[in-house]
């Protein structure tokens, strides 16, 4: 069973840890897939409601709110798809969803009916989100093979393997 120098407790721990991490990632993917299916189903229901709101008598605020809400759902769906493909949250898409959500609230409630402090806070919020969207262009991407977390993890694993090989050789 146990042969000295072959299976150290740390290497067995790494094997079990890898299996646990893969299992948890699989469970997480199943959760995200179920969210995608639920969100898609909700979007279909929302499209039906939107077409029903287009029937006379036509209420502009309801139609506009439905269209903007559907756009928010589409962006959230895209965010989940990107997460499934790249195992990361897209900052750009998240900021875009936040901008559309804030604008939807302003449009639905109306700028003239909203308190001036809320309009000012919404403007500041939109400015910050716009700044984040512009700054995101200059931030280095964490995909396309340039993942700082994975690079640090590889360095740590290499250092751990080096230390283990030194300890085993002594």
């Amino acid at each position: 069973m146990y042969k000295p120098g072959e299976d150290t407790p740390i290497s067995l721990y790494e094997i079990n840890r890898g299996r646990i991490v893969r299992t948890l990632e699989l469970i997480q993917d199943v959760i995200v897939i179920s969210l995608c299916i639920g969100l898609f189903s909700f979007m279909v229901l929302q499209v039906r409601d939107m077409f029903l709101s287009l029937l006379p008598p036509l209420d502009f605020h309801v139609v506009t709110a439905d269209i903007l809400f559907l756009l928010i759902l589409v962006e959230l769906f895209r965010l989940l798809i990107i997460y499934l493909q790249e195992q990361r949250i897209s900052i750009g898409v998240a900021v875009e969803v936040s901008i559309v959500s804030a604008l939807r609230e302003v449009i639905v409630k109306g700028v003239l009916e909203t308190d001036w402090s809320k309009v000012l806070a919404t403007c500041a919020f939109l400015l910050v989100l716009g700044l984040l969207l512009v700054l995101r262009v200059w931030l280095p991407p964490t995909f396309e093979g340039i993942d700082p977390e994975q690079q640090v993890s590889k360095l740590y694993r290499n250092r751990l393997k080096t230390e283990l090989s030194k300890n085993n050789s002594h």
Side-chain angles (χ1 to χ4, degrees):
M1 291 288 204
Y2 177 73
K3 295 179 183 176
E6 283 187 11
D7 289 329
T8 62
I10 292 176
S11 65
L12 291 176
Y13 170 72
E14 287 177 2
I15 292 171
N16 289 336
R17 184 180 62 182
R19 183 178 296 156
I20 291 170
V21 168
R22 283 190 302 273
T23 304
L24 290 175
E25 285 177 347
L26 178 68
I27 292 169
Q28 187 176 359
D29 286 346
V30 168
I31 291 171
V32 173
I33 290 169
S34 65
L35 284 172
C36 284
I37 293 169
L39 187 60
F40 186 78
S41 303
F42 187 67
M43 282 192 302
V44 169
L45 294 174
Q46 191 64 30
V47 167
R48 183 184 61 89
D49 290 343
M50 184 184 69
F51 281 120
L52 290 177
S53 70
L54 290 173
L55 297 174
L58 189 65
D59 186 9
F60 176 73
H61 288 291
V62 174
V63 173
T64 306
D66 286 346
I67 291 171
L68 290 173
F69 186 61
L70 191 60
L71 288 174
I72 292 168
L73 294 177
V74 167
E75 290 296 317
L76 287 173
F77 188 76
R78 187 170 70 133
L79 187 68
L80 290 173
I81 295 299
I82 290 171
Y83 180 80
L84 280 174
Q85 289 175 341
E86 301 178 12
Q87 297 298 313
R88 69 175 185 87
I89 298 294
S90 172
I91 294 173
V93 175
V95 169
E96 290 170 5
V97 169
S98 301
I99 289 172
V100 173
S101 298
L103 290 175
R104 177 189 180 272
E105 291 303 313
V106 169
I107 290 171
V108 169
K109 291 183 181 176
V111 176
L112 298 177
E113 290 86 27
T114 307
D115 187 30
W116 68 271
S117 61
K118 290 182 182 179
V119 172
L120 191 62
T122 303
C123 287
F125 181 65
L126 288 172
L127 281 173
V128 169
L129 289 176
L131 184 66
L132 277 174
L133 204 55
V134 170
L135 288 177
R136 180 68 182 123
V137 174
W138 288 290
L139 292 175
T142 57
F143 52 98
E144 298 176 9
I146 308 173
D147 189 354
E149 292 173 358
Q150 285 185 357
Q151 289 177 355
V152 170
S153 179
K154 283 181 185 178
L155 288 173
Y156 178 75
R157 278 186 261 135
N158 288 338
R159 186 175 42 170
L160 186 62
K161 286 179 183 178
T162 305
E163 289 176 5
L164 284 175
S165 63
K166 285 180 185 177
N167 289 339
N168 287 340
S169 65
H170 286 62

